[in-house]
Amino acid sequence: MDVDGILGNRDSKLGKSSIPRRRQWVKRRETWLVILGVVLHAVYMLSIFDIYFKTPIVHGMDLVSPRFSPPAKRLVLLVADGLRADKFFEPDLEANFRAPFLRNVIKNQGRWGVSHARPPTESRPGHVAIIAGFYEDPSAVTKGWKANPVEFDSVFNRSRHTISYGSPDIVPIFCGALPHSTWATYPHEFEDFATDASFLDEWSFDQFQSLLNRSNEDPKLKRLLEQDNLVVFLHLLGCDSNGHAHRPFSSIYLNNVKVVDHIAERVYNLLENYYKDNRTSYIFTADHGMSDKGSHGDGHPSNTDTPLVVWGAGVKHPRPVTAKDHSDHVLRFIDQHLHDAPTPKEWDLDGIERVDVNQADIAPLVSTLLGLPCPVNSVGNLPLGYVDMKEEEEVEAVLANTKQILNQFLRKSQIKQSHSLFFKPFKPLASYFSMLNQIEELLSARDYKAAMQLSENLRSLALKGLHYFQTYDLLMLMATITLGYIGWMVFLVLHVLQAYTLLPGDIFRKEEAVHEKSNTGKAQLCGCLFMAVVSVLLFLEHSPPLYHAYFAMTIFLWTQILNEYKFIKALWRYLCGRKSDYVIKLLALGVVSVIILELLVHSFTERKLYTWCFLIVGAIASIYLYKSIPWRSGIPVFVCLTCWFLSLFTLMPAEIPDNNKLVNASGVMVIVIGLTGKWLDLNAGVNRFWFGICNHEKRKPRFPMLFQLQALFVGLSSVMVFLSTSHRTEKQELHTIHQLMNWFIAGFSMILPLFSENGLLSRLNSIFLGFAPPFLLLSIGYEAVFYGALGLVLIAWILFENSLLYVHKVNKSSASGKNLGEHAFLENDTRYLQLSDMRIPLTFMVLFNVAFFGTGNFASIASFEISSVYRFITVFSPFLMAALLIFKLFIPFLLVICAFSAITKLLEVPRIGCYFLVILCSDVMTIHFFFLVKNTGSWMEIGNSISHFGIMSAQVVFVLLLFALTNIYTKDIEIRSGS
């Protein structure tokens, strides 16, 4: 039976000669719709990198030289990687503070506060913020956080010389290509999570101490160390490594806090004894914190709050807190924490003024203390609470900071204006030049307070202007892509209505005859002219090539919709002529469909929604069937119980715990399900509710021992799971014979379903048994039970549809309407789609997504346990291991699509038409995910938002390929006819 959904006997008046022509038109349309869908989704998938992940870095700005004397000749930057603020400031269980030296500095010598990091709270972004003054380049998501996607400026670049020691993952980022630097890193092998990593911090200090000792015998090195604008950067990785390996509550991590404090003390004493000039500034901070689980990356306060202690030359001394120090404003830091947050009592620092900063503010602080130009890409605000300067010099420092940010704004404005035909400037800074002149006049008049306020206002406007130009094209691109998706969905709906539904043939035939001659040519001409104009404008604006592709796809789609103007007009008249209850049904179906799809969107982050879904659906479906068919059939109860059984799995943890006894028990469960299915196939055919899906005849099967062979393979796979796991548990090498047997069982069992009987139940039962061995061999825990539960729900879906089909036939015959559906068929027993058939793609979408998230988070392959491939390969081979892991994830999808194909045959609906409806549903979700893509937050949050959008965008290809693959198994399924 052909189920391609080709138009056949739409209207007997069309004539036999027009039917093949119509069929060819639909086949051609189906082919190029699939090609168009693949191209469109591929192009639009790339759009997120132009919208969300454009680099904020620009080049070509002039440096702003400060007009004040530098308070310090040199600066020491100590960064304790992964040090949490609370673990640094709070006392231990014996009421002793872990950082006595730095606490003494806070109380007697310098200033302190909390530095607020912006997610992703990773090492590279944190150090870029501290040293370069800007937050993570979002385009880094395409290369990973260890790479520099775009070269940027830093305080090290502006220094006369930089000395740096620390991790090979951090130091080379800033010093690797810096000619005026002296640096060294320890080997990667030193970063061993099995040891106490505090020795890495000692290594960095020892290297620096050794350098100072050598300078006493090396005059050249001595001169280098005595010059001004010197930066010393020690990267202390111990807390980060110990936090990952032992958690931040462990004694090893907490002892590491004491280690870094002792290093800060020794560095201070070493340099003060070496220089004896009181011209050294010191900054102690961290790049990020550490969560209780020993990870970091997100925006939790344990990750974003880091300590900041500054002392030495040019730094204010401690000041007691007064009532006027606290304001009622609700300004927030970059991590969304409020200003003037109360200091925890246990820190015992609530009497000393606390000056919190954004992490990027540290870079202009370093530049100001050394009298250097701020890094040209910095967006940090100079924290005056730390700087001890004259009032005039403070204003000059803030003005230099303002001019540096303003220069970035002017450069971005210049670049955008040079490329834009219809440039829209940032109006609040239209008179920036007069504002600068006014500041200079105020400085000349020694009105420093007014000059400071105006400088800070100008800086704030410049930062807003930077954001304005960073998102300059965002609205245009998002509107274009959204219109493109909407156009694609409208075009899909029009195609489905024209090719697979029974609508008033006379109206549409007349309309098609008109618009084929006239309207098509006009629409195409208008579309081509509009595209030509847009292309010229984009070319003149030097827009990227992908911009042309985005607009071309959108204009092309809406041109094709205009081609169907007559059809749309006739459809509107048809709907207006129908009774109001039909329109209400149509709207209700649309609303329910959108609600279901929105729930599926939220299920990507909240798997428990599926639990509620199957609990409710199981109850409703069974009640509906109970009212339609006798309860003695057992189908209502079966549907309810299977749905409730499947609902349990999305309550279980995404990280699957090892439980090989459960895997072995699942093998028995699969065999029992298979035996039951075989018995029903042979004996339930007399039951009218099983009639269409059971074996056609009691003839002798082609391969009488096939079922027994498949059951044997399932049993063998369970035995091999036990043998393979016991060898690994006992740390024995997996025998080659075991690996070969596993490969043979998995491979051969998947071929066997091709030789099964072609009745619907017998073929699906064979497919279920055929894919069970490879799935069991790749399972480590409860996901093996999920395989059986999913198979039961798919059978319940088929039984539900078969029952509805039986009830429909009974109602039709009782109404004596023999001619009711006479012309409601396309060809080869494939009928037109009806409004109620929308339940099929919606049910498919739910089950398909359950296959995605039933036993993990498909959006992050890391959530699946790699040990599940050890029964096939033990030697590390990333590509083969990944292929096996992905294949395991695909097996549930294959079952769902096999059931979907079987249902389209059972109900005699066009499968390709249902495929287009599936794509329509997935694109409703795609648009939602398009707006949910994130370029801030942890790498995991950013990556998941991209993968969610990518998964839905790829479904047009993904589902099609799986349809083609499963068609090998389902193409010769036959449905028992009769009533």
Side-chain angles (χ1 to χ4, degrees), residues 55 113 259 310 343 418 468 494 538 552 590 747 802 876 916:
T55 177
V259 171
V310 186
T343 300
S418 66
Y468 173 78
L494 292 177
L538 291 173
N802 194 47
F876 182 70
F916 285 133

Side-chain angles (χ1 to χ4, degrees), residues 317-331:
H317 280 62
R319 197 179 74 165
V321 174
T322 58
K324 67 178 182 179
D325 291 329
H326 293 277
S327 61
D328 295 327
H329 59 61
V330 290
L331 294 176

Side-chain angles (χ1 to χ4, degrees), residues 198-397:
S198 61
F199 80 94
L200 300 175
D201 302 341
E202 296 288 356
W203 183 94
S204 298
F205 172 76
D206 291 343
Q207 295 295 312
F208 179 58
Q209 186 179 39
S210 175
L211 180 79
L212 291 183
N213 292 337
R214 289 201 311 273
S215 70
N216 294 323
E217 301 173 0
D218 186 342
K220 184 178 178 181
L221 180 58
K222 184 80 170 177
R223 286 194 300 272
L224 184 148
L225 291 172
E226 288 179 346
Q227 60 189 350
D228 59 0
N229 296 337
L230 178 72
V231 176
V232 177
F233 169 49
L234 297 186
H235 177 244
L236 311 175
L237 186 65
C239 288
D240 186 71
S241 296
N242 284 327
H244 286 309
H246 308 288
R247 308 293 183 269
F249 289 93
S250 66
S251 59
I252 293 178
Y253 179 90
L254 298 176
N255 182 68
N256 209 143
V257 179
K258 299 177 182 178
V259 171
V260 296
D261 177 72
H262 189 44
I263 287 174
E265 180 179 15
R266 285 183 287 166
V267 167
Y268 173 73
N269 292 331
L270 192 66
L271 289 175
E272 292 303 306
N273 292 330
Y274 185 89
Y275 288 108
K276 298 183 176 67
D277 60 358
N278 295 322
R279 294 294 305 278
T280 307
S281 298
Y282 302 86
I283 296 178
F284 176 90
T285 188
D287 54 348
H288 58 75
M290 183 73 62
S291 73
D292 293 346
K293 295 189 296 183
S295 62
H296 53 82
D298 61 23
H300 191 274
S302 62
N303 290 326
T304 60
D305 291 359
T306 62
L308 176 63
V309 183
V310 186
W311 75 100
V315 180
K316 287 179 180 176
H317 280 62
R319 197 179 74 165
V321 174
T322 58
K324 67 178 182 179
D325 291 329
H326 293 277
S327 61
D328 295 327
H329 59 61
V330 290
L331 294 176
R332 290 180 179 271
F333 287 101
I334 198 71
D335 58 0
Q336 297 302 307
H337 297 164
L338 287 172
H339 283 252
D340 292 331
T343 300
K345 290 287 184 184
E346 59 268 22
W347 291 7
D348 193 26
L349 293 171
D350 46 345
I352 304 172
E353 186 182 38
R354 165 181 165 183
V355 185
D356 284 12
V357 301
N358 286 320
Q359 198 170 59
D361 299 342
I362 296 174
L365 174 61
V366 172
S367 299
T368 300
L369 290 173
L370 289 173
L372 298 171
C374 287
V376 294
N377 307 119
S378 171
V379 294
N381 296 324
L382 174 64
L384 287 173
Y386 286 89
V387 180
D388 186 18
M389 301 170 75
K390 297 177 183 176
E391 189 177 12
E392 177 185 1
E393 291 179 332
E394 283 188 354
V395 178
E396 289 288 0

